[in-house]
Structures are given as structure tokens and as C-alpha cells.
């Protein structure tokens, strides 16, 4: 059996510690022992100064690296032997080196395990360490409340950088080192370790320790207040909350605010329901459904028919999409929200001060509302890249494609992300000749490579020309013929088209409603902290305008935090919880994911095991002629705790729900395996993948004994 390097280190450390205690080496590191041999030690040091310094240094590093007791006594001895200057120098470097070795050993032995076991639960701590880790360490080093060896080991399992640990430790331990080395110069007078640091010195160390952290917190507080300097807050407020934008994020924010009895105004300049209802999720899923029906007609023979045809008109299919929107519209209507207690304003909002929102109503009326808090939920829009010549054609985007009533014969879809892929397959099924152009080496780049392969293979089988590693360079119109010119491996590829659909990403709406004038910090999105607060603590943002996700369910999730925090800060606020975020791409085969995939786990160095179940083996999938795809589960090595799941196959988005629940509530694969799943359903795949995991972790040694037991019973 080959031992992992970690086990070797553990064995060496355990051996050294056993030796230390077995030989009772601690007896040399007591105050009495050092004092009694002080004269001999000083004589030796005078005879061999360099050797004494080197050996002392090495001994100090060993004591601190092994976290054995004795460092305090050695620090005093350093004063007695080498004096204040040299003693401090030797101890300062030896203690920091020893501490860093202990830190590295803890990281190597336990860091990966702790981060993979509790990584998602440690997310807040990791974020805090990334931001303020150095300050915390400095405080801990100076305030003698936590033993030094505990700090070394505990910091080792965090994500604090080694270099930060090293220099902050050296700096933070220096005052204490000075005090103890100085005391050591008068070793003969010291009677016990407890009296060395006077209350006055202790108080100074505590003050020194908390000072930087306190300064930083005060500066942050001051800066967050400073942004308000230009304005005078109103004495009273018309509203508790004004919400800008009536899409998924804005609607849910307003709903929650009204439910908890706040006075809230929701301003929407276009259509309530925003992107999702009008130009996003709803129309795309409605069109996907019609296209799926056509794909089944195409596959009639697979279902035992001799053949089938569908007589359809593209314009009528697009009208159905509008009917679906109309049917869902009442869920997001002015009437419904007014009934729920929300004051709905149909107009354009502009923030004019941190507590004032100007509303230009559709009827021309302009009013300014004062409000305690504002939630920005202004969404995002399709990004159209500045490719030369693109403005010479009328490009389609996810905003405008729903207005089409004539099917484009040759459609180029620019973009291999979820929106581009969903629309490429849909239009191909509706009869367009579709070319999908993607710059990256594969479509659906965020997913694992085999997902992209599966989807690409299906796309190609359905007649879509999927061109990856093709960079769009320019659009040309020559004698009325429109062409996208792309480059692939250094040569030009010309793709003629009738319509060009651009789906290369969505950008947050940041301009035109007062953010710049006010000074709200923005980058690619409105910048928010963990509580969804902007740099103006009473102004929040949620949904696509805030990111980092661009889904309806994450917009709604953030909306809860934005509403509650906006209404109850400073009394209580909640940090948005992004630990378990699911999503799905509604291509066929459908792709759904929650948590990590293999790609991310490898990139982030998170130890994991992979268990796969192929849906080609599943009874229901076979009966439905949908026997393709897989369920792939990532777990903590040796444990059934789920780190992430990717499903590719029929109804993947629905199948994922079981894992979302499991991850959210810490349910492992053993419990999924122990749960009855209805036969014959696609959901059984979730149980079968758990079964695969269980088989791979069967206790072989125990089973060998059980086999012997059965043999014995047979006689
Ligand atoms: C084609 C497509 C398919 C999609 N499919 C899915 C899917 O299947 N699942 C999923 O989860 N997500 C999907 N999405 C994403 C989803 O639609 C968005 O993540 C979601 O709608 C974001 O909601 P939001 O409230 O942040 O923004 P929006 O819905 O964009 O709402 C913002 C609103 O703010 C209004 N507004 C902006 N400025 C002002 C102002 N100054 N005054 C007043 N009003 C203003 C706008 O008019 C808009 O109505 C899809 C998106 C697209 C484009």
C-alpha cells in the first residue's frame, strides 16, 4: 500500500511529538530549568556565539512549528542569553518561521478537507478573510486571548495567503516579543511566567491590537456616511421603499414590502413582468414547446408511427407565444399588485437624491417621492457587439425576435450561451436553416465538456451548423446579400444570412436614471455588498442589474434580501445566501445544474468524487424514446455530501429539484438512495446514481466477512 504524502507528514509530526513527550523534553523548557542552568548557558554562548544562536534559532523554530509548550520560556532565555537586540531578532524570525511552518502543515493536512467539507458554509468566513484577514490576524497576535499555536493552526485551514500570514505575524508578534525578551534580560528576577506582563503593558498590547481593525471599521463607517454629505435628508418620508423596475426582482421586492406592511411604490416604465414575462423566459419556453412538438412529428417513426406531418404557419406559432404571455400577464398585473397593497406607478423613475425618486408618469405628470430606502431593479438588456458593419443590418435580439411573423430562411445565431442555444435549436425546428457561431471552443462553455458535446451532437443531428472557434469579424451587405464574415484558424469563413440574431450576453441597465449623477458605484453591474447595499447604504440593488446571476429565480431570491434589509436596516439585516443556486438551459437534451461541476471543482482545486448514471439505462427514458444523457453527481471524497450535480437529458430541470433540496438541507446520497422513487419515472435516475455511488463505496472487507457468515450458515 502506498501512503499519501500527507500521511507521511502526519506520521513524522506524530513521531516527533511522541518523542518530545516520551523523553520529557519539556523539562528543559521550564522557567526553573532555564534559571538553574542560566550560568552554564551564558558561558556556552560566550564561547560559541554563532553556534549558540543557530542552535537556539533551530530549537525555537522546532518548538513553535510542533506547537509544543515552551516558546514563552525560550523567549525569556533569548533575552538572558543574547540580550535585547539579538534576542529580539532571533526570536522574531524563529517564531514567525515556526508559526508559518505550523500554518502550512495545518493547511496541507487539513485545509483541503475543511474547505471541501465546509467550503460552502465557510463562504462568509472566506470572504471576510479575503477582505480583512490580515487585520484579524494582527489583532489576534496582539491580544493574548487565543494561544499562539491555536492561531497558527486555525489560520492554516482558512484561505489566508501564506505571505500575508508571515508578515502580519512577524509584525503582530514583535511588541510581545520585545516585552518578553526584555524581561528575559533580567531572568534572575523573574519568579513566575504570569507576572511578566504588567496590566499596563497588557492594556497597551490590546489597544495596539484592536486599533487597526477599529480604524478600518470606523473609516468604512465614515466613508459610507460621507457619500451622503451633499444632501440633507428629509424630515419625514412619503414611502418606506421605492422600487425601480417591475421585472422579477422589482415585483418580488414590492410584494414582500407590501406583505410586511411597508408603504411601497413600484415604478415600471415599460411592462410589468419585465424581461422574463415579456421577452425572456415565458416567450422562449412557449416557443420551445411548439418547436418540440414539431421535433416529435419529425421523429414519428421512433414512436411507432409510419410518418406524420405538421401543417403550421410561423406567424401563428408566434401569436401563440403572445397568447401565453397574455395568459400569464395577470400574475404580474397592476391590478394584482395594487390589490396586494403596492402603489404601482407606470412611468420612468430617476433617483434625484439618496431619499428622493422622481417619477415621470406615462400621462406626463411628474412627482417626486421621498423614501427611506430605494431598491434598484432595472434589469439588463442584450449586448450588441460593435462588429464592423453590424449597424448596416437590422439585428435581432432577445428583445425583438418575438415580433417576427415571417420565418427567416437562413438564420445566423451569434453566441453559444444558453439564450443563443435555446433559440438556435428552436428556429431550426421551426424550419430555419440555422448557423450558430461561437468564438469559444465549444457551446455552453460554463458546463462540463461532455454536456457541450452531447448538445452539439444533437444540434448537428437536427441540421444546425454549429461553428465553434469562429470569431465574428464583420457584416457585409453586397447587392442585398447579407453575410457574416468570421475567422476560423486564421482563415475567413463567409456565412450568408437573412436574419442575424445576436445573443452574446446581457448588460446591466446603468444609465439614464440618476446613478451617475448620484455617484452610485457601478462596474459591469451596480456594485453591491453581501446585503445587496450599494455604496449608499439605503440604496439597494437586485436582479440582473446587480448580478452576478441572470436568472428569474435568483432575481426573486435577491429581492427578498433587498426588501427585508432595506426595511429593517440598521436593526437587522441578512446576508444574501448564494450557496445553492440551480439553473437550467432548455435545449434538448435539457441541461440543468446546481453547485459545482467537474470543471469548476478542478479549477478551484476542490477534492471531489464523480458518480455518473447514464439515462440510456433508465426504463422510463427507454419507454419514452428519450434514452440519452446522464446524471453526474460530485461528492466530497469518501462522503455522500453533494457538491454539485449536472443533469443532461429529458426534464433535467425538473429532476434537479431533488438535489437542490438535498444540497440546501444537507441531505446526502445515502438518504436519496433510501427514499422511494415512483416507478417508472425519470426521477428514478436520482436514486440510481445514488446506488452507483453506494456500490463504489461498499465496505469490501465487511462484505468478505458477511460472505463467510453465509457460507457458515449453509453448513
Ligand atoms: C430569451 C431569454 C430567456 C430567458 N430564460 C430564462 C429562464 O428560462 N429561466 C430564468 O431563470 N431566467 C431566464 N432568463 C433571464 C431572466 O429573464 C432575467 O434574469 C430576469 O427577467 C431578470 O429580472 P430583473 O427584474 O432583474 O430585470 P427585468 O426583468 O429586466 O426588469 C427590469 C425592469 O425595469 C424596468 N426599468 C428599467 N429602468 C427603469 C426606470 N428608470 N424606471 C422604471 N422602470 C425601469 C424595465 O422596463 C424592466 O421592466 C431569460 C432571459 C432571456 C432574455
Amino acid at each position: 500500500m502506498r501512503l499519501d504524502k500527507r500521511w507521511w507528514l502526519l506520521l513524522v509530526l506524530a513521531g516527533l511529538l511522541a518523542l518530545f513527550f516520551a523523553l520529557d523534553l519539556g523539562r528543559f523548557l521550564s522557567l526553573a530549568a532555564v534559571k538553574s542552568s542560566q550560568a552554564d548557558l551564558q558561558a556556552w554562548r560566550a564561547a560559541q556565539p554563532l553556534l549558540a544562536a543557530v542552535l537556539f534559532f533551530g530549537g525555537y523554530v522546532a518548538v513553535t512549528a510542533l506547537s509544543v509548550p515552551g516558546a514563552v520560556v525560550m523567549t525569556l532565555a533569548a533575552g538572558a542569553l543574547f540580550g535585547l537586540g539579538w534576542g529580539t531578532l532571533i526570536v522574531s524570525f524563529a517564531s514567525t518561521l515556526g508559526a508559518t511552518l505550523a500554518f502550512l502543515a495545518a493547511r496541507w493536512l487539513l485545509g483541503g478537507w475543511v474547505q471541501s467539507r465546509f467550503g460552502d458554509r465557510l463562504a462568509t468566513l472566506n470572504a471576510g478573510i479575503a477582505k480583512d484577514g490580515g487585520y484579524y490576524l494582527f489583532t489576534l497576535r496582539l491580544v493574548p486571548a487565543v494561544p499562539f499555536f491555536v492561531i497558527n493552526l486555525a489560520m492554516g485551514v482558512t484561505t489566508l495567503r501564506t505571505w500575508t500570514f508571515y508578515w502580519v505575524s512577524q509584525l503582530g508578534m514583535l511588541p510581545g516579543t520585545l516585552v518578553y525578551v526584555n524581561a528575559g534580560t533580567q531572568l534572575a528576577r523573574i519568579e513566575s511566567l504570569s507576572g511578566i506582563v504588567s496590566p499596563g503593558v497588557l492594556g497597551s498590547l490590546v489597544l495596539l491590537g484592536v486599533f487597526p481593525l477599529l480604524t478600518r471599521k470606523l473609516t468604512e463607517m465614515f466613508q459610507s456616511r460621507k457619500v451622503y454629505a451633499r444632501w440633507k435628508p428629509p424630515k419625514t418620508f412619503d414611502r418606506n421603499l421605492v422600487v425601480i423596475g417591475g421585472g422579477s426582482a422589482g415585483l418580488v421586492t414590492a410584494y414582500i414590502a407590501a406583505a410586511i406592511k411597508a408603504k411601497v411604490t413600484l415604478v415600471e416604465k415599460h411592462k410589468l413582468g419585465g424581461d422574463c414575462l415579456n421577452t425572456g423566459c415565458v416567450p422562449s419556453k412557449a416557443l420551445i414547446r411548439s418547436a418540440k412538438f414539431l421535433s416529435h412529428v419529425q421523429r414519428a417513426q421512433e414512436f411507432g408511427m409510419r410518418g406524420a406531418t405538421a401543417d403550421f404557419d410561423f406567424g401563428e406559432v408566434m401569436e401563440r407565444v403572445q397568447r401565453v404571455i397574455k395568459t400569464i400577464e395577470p400574475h404580474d398585473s397592476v391590478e394584482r399588485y395594487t390589490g396586494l397593497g403596492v402603489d404601482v406607478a407606470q412611468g420612468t423613475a430617476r433617483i434625484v437624491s439618496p431619499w428622493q425618486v422622481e417619477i415621470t408618469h406615462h400621462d406626463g405628470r411628474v412627482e417626486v417621492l421621498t423614501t427611506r430606502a430605494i431598491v434598484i431593479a432595472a434589469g439588463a438588456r442584450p449586448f450588441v457587439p460593435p462588429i464592423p458593419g453590424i449597424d448596416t443590418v437590422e439585428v435581432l435580439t432577445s428583445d425583438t425576435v418575438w415580433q417576427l411573423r415571417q420565418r427567416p430562411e437562413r438564420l445566423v445565431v451569434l453566441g453559444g450561451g444558453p439564450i443563443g442555444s435555446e433559440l438556435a435549436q428552436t428556429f431550426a425546428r421551426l424550419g430555419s436553416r440555422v448557423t450558430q457561431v461561437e468564438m469559444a471552443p465549444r457551446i455552453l462553455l460554463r458546463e462540463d465538456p461532455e454536456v457541450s458535446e452531447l448538445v452539439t451532437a444533437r444540434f448537428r443531428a437536427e441540421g444546425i451548423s454549429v461553428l465553434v472557434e469562429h470569431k465574428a469579424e464583420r457584416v457585409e451587405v453586397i447587392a442585398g446579400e447579407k453575410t457574416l464574415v468570421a475567422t476560423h484558424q486564421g482563415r475567413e469563413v463567409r456565412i450568408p444570412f437573412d436574419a442575424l440574431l445576436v445573443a452574446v450576453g446581457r448588460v446591466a441597465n446603468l444609465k439614464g436614471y440618476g446613478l451617475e449623477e448620484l455617484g452610485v458605484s457601478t462596474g459591469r453591474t451596480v456594485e453591491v455588498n453581501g446585503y445587496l447595499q450599494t455604496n449608499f447604504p439605503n440604496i439597494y440593488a437586485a436582479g440582473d442589474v446587480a448580478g452576478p446571476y441572470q436568472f428569474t429565480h435568483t432575481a426573486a431570491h435577491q429581492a427578498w434580501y433587498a426588501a427585508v434589509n432595506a426595511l429593517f436596516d440598521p436593526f437587522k439585516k441578512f446576508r444574501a445566501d448564494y450557496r445553492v443556486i440551480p439553473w437550467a438551459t432548455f435545449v434538448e437534451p435539457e441541461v440543468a445544474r446546481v453547485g459545482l461541476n467537474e470543471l469548476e471543482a478542478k479549477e478551484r482545486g476542490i477534492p471531489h468524487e464523480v458518480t455518473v448514471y447514464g439515462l440510456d439505462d433508465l426504463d422510463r427514458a427507454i419507454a419514452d424514446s428519450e434514452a440519452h444523457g446522464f446524471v453526474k453527481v460530485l461528492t466530497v471524497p469518501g462522503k455522500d455530501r453533494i457538491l454539485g450535480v449536472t443533469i443532461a437529458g429529458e426534464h433535467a430541470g425538473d429532476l434537479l429539484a431533488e438535489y437542490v433540496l438535498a444540497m440546501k438541507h444537507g441531505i446526502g446520497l445515502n438518504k436519496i438512495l433510501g427514499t422511494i422513487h415512483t416507478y417508472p419515472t425519470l426521477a428514478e435516475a436520482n436514486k440510481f446514481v445514488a446506488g452507483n455511488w453506494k456500490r463504489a463505496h461498499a465496505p469490501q472487507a465487511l462484505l468478505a466477512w458477511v460472505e463467510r457468515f453465509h457460507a457458515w450458515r449453509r453448513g
Side-chain angles (χ1 to χ4, degrees):
M1 186 181 72
R2 281 197 52 199
L3 276 186
D4 181 271
K5 282 185 193 143
R6 275 168 235 256
W7 284 104
W8 280 117
L9 177 67
L10 201 63
L11 281 177
V12 170
L13 289 178
L16 289 173
L17 283 172
L19 216 59
F20 179 87
F21 289 107
L23 300 176
D24 191 19
L25 296 179
R27 69 182 189 280
F28 300 115
L29 298 173
S30 72
L31 184 60
V34 172
K35 279 176 77 167
S36 68
S37 48
Q38 185 180 356
D40 294 342
L41 287 169
Q42 278 172 331
W44 172 62
R45 189 252 154 186
Q48 312 240 29
L50 188 65
L51 182 68
V54 170
L55 286 181
F56 188 90
F57 186 91
Y60 203 113
V61 172
V63 164
T64 42
L66 287 172
S67 307
V68 291
V72 175
V73 172
M74 285 192 81
T75 312
L76 293 171
L81 289 178
F82 303 102
L84 181 61
W86 281 107
T88 305
L89 196 71
I90 292 171
V91 172
S92 176
F93 280 94
S95 59
T96 311
L97 186 60
T100 308
L101 289 174
F103 166 90
L104 287 173
R107 173 158 295 178
W108 205 45
L109 290 173
L110 291 173
W113 178 80
V114 170
Q115 289 297 330
S116 71
R117 180 87 180 76
F118 305 106
D120 44 3
R121 273 170 257 175
L122 291 179
T124 313
L125 178 73
N126 286 340
I129 290 283
K131 185 168 166 255
D132 286 329
Y135 289 89
Y136 293 139
L137 177 62
F138 188 72
T139 308
L140 285 171
R141 287 295 186 205
L142 277 160
V143 180
V146 188
F148 278 20
F149 78 94
V150 176
I151 301 173
N152 302 338
L153 302 181
M155 283 289 168
V157 298
T158 69
T159 47
L160 186 71
R161 289 172 51 206
T162 309
W163 172 239
T164 309
F165 178 84
Y166 181 89
W167 75 260
V168 174
S169 293
Q170 183 137 32
L171 200 68
M173 291 194 288
L174 196 58
T177 303
L178 260 170
V179 170
Y180 277 85
V181 174
N182 188 40
T185 58
Q186 309 293 318
L187 189 66
R189 283 201 234 139
I190 298 173
E191 293 307 324
S192 93
L193 292 179
S194 54
I196 295 170
V197 185
S198 68
V201 172
L202 199 67
S204 313
L205 287 181
V206 171
L207 270 182
L208 197 61
V210 295
F211 185 70
L213 196 62
L214 207 67
T215 320
R216 176 159 175 142
K217 292 288 167 208
L218 284 172
T219 313
E220 274 174 14
M221 257 171 67
F222 175 71
Q223 274 172 348
S224 77
R225 295 288 134 197
K226 205 174 78 178
V227 291
Y228 294 109
R230 279 195 284 150
W231 292 276
K232 204 167 164 303
K235 287 209 169 52
T236 58
F237 298 91
D238 302 322
R239 300 287 183 271
N240 297 97
L241 188 62
V242 171
V243 183
I244 300 177
S248 312
L251 285 169
V252 178
T253 306
Y255 178 103
I256 287 164
I260 49 180
K261 303 298 174 200
K263 200 162 183 197
V264 53
T265 291
L266 171 68
V267 195
E268 170 54 53
K269 69 174 177 186
H270 187 43
K271 285 182 180 172
L272 277 191
D275 216 36
C276 186
L277 173 64
N278 300 296
T279 53
C281 336
V282 172
S284 62
K285 268 77 250 179
L287 194 61
I288 284 171
R289 186 63 192 90
S290 298
K292 186 170 184 164
F293 172 78
L294 288 174
S295 88
H296 283 172
V297 170
Q298 293 271 317
R299 294 168 55 198
Q301 286 178 355
E302 281 183 52
F303 301 107
M305 314 292 146
R306 278 203 202 131
T309 53
D311 181 16
F312 76 99
D313 173 76
F314 178 81
E316 284 169 22
V317 172
M318 295 302 269
E319 284 303 330
R320 172 183 172 270
V321 171
Q322 293 307 316
R323 284 201 301 281
V324 171
I325 294 174
K326 284 269 169 290
T327 313
I328 296 178
E329 219 165 46
H331 302 172
D332 297 348
S333 63
V334 177
E335 295 70 28
R336 173 161 184 246
Y337 275 78
T338 308
L340 288 167
V342 177
D343 166 41
V344 181
Q346 291 175 282
T348 303
R350 195 167 67 86
I351 306 176
V352 289
S353 92
W355 304 277
Q356 287 173 304
V357 177
E358 179 194 88
I359 305 170
T360 308
H361 291 268
H362 286 344
D363 59 13
R365 205 162 36 92
V366 177
E367 71 173 329
V368 176
L369 289 178
T370 55
T371 176
R372 261 205 174 276
I374 298 168
V375 172
I376 302 166
R381 61 185 189 285
F383 172 63
V384 178
I387 300 169
I390 200 161
D391 47 359
T392 58
V393 296
E394 204 178 312
V395 294
L396 295 169
T397 66
S398 61
D399 275 358
T400 56
V401 69
W402 315 110
Q403 290 151 17
L404 282 181
R405 291 297 176 268
Q406 285 266 307
R407 176 182 65 200
E409 285 312 311
R410 295 169 303 172
L411 175 71
V412 168
V413 177
L414 196 58
I419 295 176
S421 298
E422 284 183 4
L423 290 172
Q425 188 176 43
T426 302
F427 273 86
R429 288 176 166 189
L430 289 165
S432 294
R433 265 189 289 140
V434 176
T435 306
Q436 190 179 15
V437 179
E438 167 58 57
M439 199 161 69
R442 56 193 179 85
I443 60 169
L444 300 181
L445 194 65
R446 283 183 71 181
E447 307 301 339
D448 278 340
E450 67 267 38
V451 172
S452 306
E453 274 165 34
L454 200 71
V455 174
T456 305
R458 179 68 173 257
F459 276 22
R460 288 188 174 142
E462 291 189 13
I464 301 169
S465 164
V466 182
L467 303 180
V468 291
E469 291 179 316
H470 279 66
K471 184 169 183 289
E473 298 289 356
R474 60 183 186 278
V475 173
E476 285 178 0
V477 185
I478 300 171
E481 175 77 338
K482 295 175 248 180
T483 307
L484 176 74
V485 183
T487 46
H488 172 63
Q489 296 176 346
R491 67 190 165 78
E492 269 192 7
V493 179
R494 300 179 66 82
I495 313 157
F497 64 83
D498 300 309
L500 173 65
L501 173 63
V502 176
V504 293
R506 299 170 50 72
V507 286
N509 291 322
L510 303 173
K511 291 204 164 31
Y513 59 98
L515 302 190
E516 309 101 311
E517 295 85 339
L518 199 68
V520 173
S521 296
T522 57
R524 289 159 66 96
T525 55
V526 173
E527 285 172 4
V528 289
N529 63 14
Y531 303 99
L532 297 167
Q533 280 171 307
T534 65
N535 55 325
F536 288 80
N538 74 319
I539 303 181
Y540 293 72
D544 283 5
V545 79
Y549 302 98
Q550 290 188 327
F551 305 113
T552 291
H553 45 276
T554 47
H557 180 70
Q558 288 181 326
W560 184 91
Y561 291 95
V564 172
N565 290 344
L567 293 171
F568 293 108
D569 185 54
F571 305 108
K572 178 76 191 152
K573 57 184 174 182
F574 299 86
R575 191 175 275 277
D577 177 359
Y578 296 121
R579 282 174 300 172
V580 183
I581 303 284
W583 64 83
T585 303
F586 297 89
V587 287
E588 230 183 313
E590 202 164 290
V591 178
R593 170 134 81 96
V594 58
L596 291 177
N597 64 2
E598 253 187 293
L599 206 64
E600 289 171 351
K602 281 180 191 152
E603 267 169 20
R604 288 161 54 183
I606 296 176
H608 62 279
E609 278 177 10
V610 178
T611 309
V612 179
Y613 173 77
L615 291 169
D616 52 347
D617 201 39
L618 186 70
D619 292 2
R620 182 54 188 265
I622 296 167
D624 285 353
S625 283
E626 299 294 355
H628 51 80
F630 57 83
V631 180
K632 175 154 90 168
V633 181
L634 269 69
T635 43
V636 173
K639 298 262 183 297
D640 72 337
R641 201 166 76 80
I642 303 165
L643 293 170
V645 180
T646 299
I647 307 180
E650 189 74 352
H651 293 300
D654 295 307
L655 293 185
L656 192 76
E658 189 167 359
Y659 294 108
V660 180
L661 185 78
M663 285 183 71
K664 174 80 187 167
H665 298 286
I667 296 169
L669 287 181
N670 275 315
K671 290 223 166 91
I672 291 183
L673 184 62
T675 305
I676 300 175
H677 289 64
T678 317
Y679 181 84
T681 55
L682 295 175
E684 276 192 304
N686 294 345
K687 188 183 165 94
F688 293 153
V689 75
N692 282 356
W693 175 86
K694 190 75 183 175
R695 258 191 302 286
H697 292 83
Q700 297 303 339
L702 181 67
L703 285 175
W705 280 105
V706 176
E707 195 175 10
R708 275 181 218 151
F709 166 76
H710 290 312
W712 169 73
R713 297 254 314 200
R714 287 197 301 273

